Amino acid sequence: MTAIQQPAAPAAAQVPTGRRAPRRSVLFFAFAFAVIADPVSSVAYAIEAALRALHGDLALLLSTMSLVVGLVVVVTANYWQLVRRFPKGGGAAAAAGRAFGPRWTFVPIGALVVDFVLTIGISIAAAASAVIALFPAMSAWRIPLALLLLLAVAGLTWFGHGGRLLFAVMTVLFVLVAVAVLVQGFVSPHGAGTAPASTDPGRSAALAVVLAFPVAMALATGVEAPSTAIAQLGQLDDTRRRRFGRGTLALLLVIVGGLTLALTALAVQLRIGIPGEDSTQIADIAHAATGSGWLYGAFQLTSSLLLLAAASSSFQAGPGLLKALAGTADRPGVLPAVLGRTNRHHTPYWSVVVYLAAAAVIIVAAAGEEQELVLFYAVAVFVSFLVGLLAMTRFARAERKPVLAWLNGTAAAAVAFTLVVNLLRGWPVLSLVATMLVAGAFYVRWARAGRPSGIEDVEARAEAD
């Protein structure tokens, strides 16, 4: 069996100096805002998904999204623990492998493979919707526009990880423009919608919220990213990796939770309901708040670029995971070696083609509509969440930490409930089936390869390579 070794941090990283502090600040900025591009971009469609699940009932929207943000906090608390336990990266895969045995590693890996495809698909579709909301005449070209954006993002992946700082800048720009929209919307809105406050006053509000919030849990996708992305920080020691990972998780909560609740409150105040075919709810919120001027255009542009950045991030992470599974000359691989072939920018181009093809299929199947994909999106990644929470519950019980065991167990129950409710909606079960098929196929190939050791660290290797 071939042992897997983690790359050691350079000695220079062990001794901090005042001169290096500003450089670390820049590094944290680039790392954190690039990593949180995915969860921040989820704001673009998660609120609308909740409103659709509520059948347009604005009176229950804020309660629903508050519950969603609360569960995101609970899931983030688990990844806070994962960062502490696995400072070299690894996330739920590392936790599952060490808690239950290496074969369990493939469940979160399978979930992530499916999640990366869905992230690309839904982000590209939402970016196309943002463009169409700004230029409604392009509505008839929704699918070709989405596929063109998909090809452009895949093409940029050829140049490797050089765009991380650009992703960070896109995230910051979106946040700044969104705050400006919110301020104008609350202080001096341009107009208002006409959606009714409640569409069915007679139904049980509590039941409606409980059944609707799982759909909007697409907002939680990307929460796992800091726990695996810290493997990129090979120049730092474990202590500083933990600080970077936890700092990123805290920043993620503040920005995603704050923007979500503020935009939801503004939607309720301005009575912005389910949008028409050529728009999105978040675009309608911005339009009511600012009118058709430059701020509205800037909001649509930055949200579209942020969504493309989220897709690009998955176009790097997904093929990177397949590359790590393909192995090297001195390490047995689970997947065919062709998936690990790279260009001079270290991009595994055949793995990129795999994700490109898969994302194109789901975009066409969903007719380029991101809301058609939200239900599927909130399934695969929740399988990874659930396995990670169960693993951390087991660790806490073994270490006789009852408070942590209770917290993780409760979070696991909430995640399981969310998963079950979404699966009961019918078609989202395909995400679970795909996850299990991918996990099973990887496990079979791993067993045939002689069960090489170190499979638990595959996510960390994928990020570090």
Side-chain angles (χ1 to χ4, degrees), residues 244-263:
F244 270 54
R246 288 181 162 185
T248 301
L249 286 169
L251 190 65
L252 183 157
L253 271 183
V254 170
I255 293 177
V256 173
L259 284 179
T260 298
L261 295 180
L263 285 166

Side-chain angles (χ1 to χ4, degrees), residues 157-160 340-349:
T157 305
W158 177 268
F159 299 101
R341 292 179 185 171
T342 61
N343 62 14
R344 63 189 181 91
H345 298 288
H346 308 290
T347 299
Y349 46 88

Side-chain angles (χ1 to χ4, degrees), residues 31 35-36 38-39 79 222-230 248-249 252 463:
F31 174 80
V35 168
I36 67 174
D38 183 2
Y79 282 95
V223 169
E224 77 286 350
S227 70
T228 57
I230 53 175
T248 301
L249 286 169
L252 183 157
E463 295 286 350

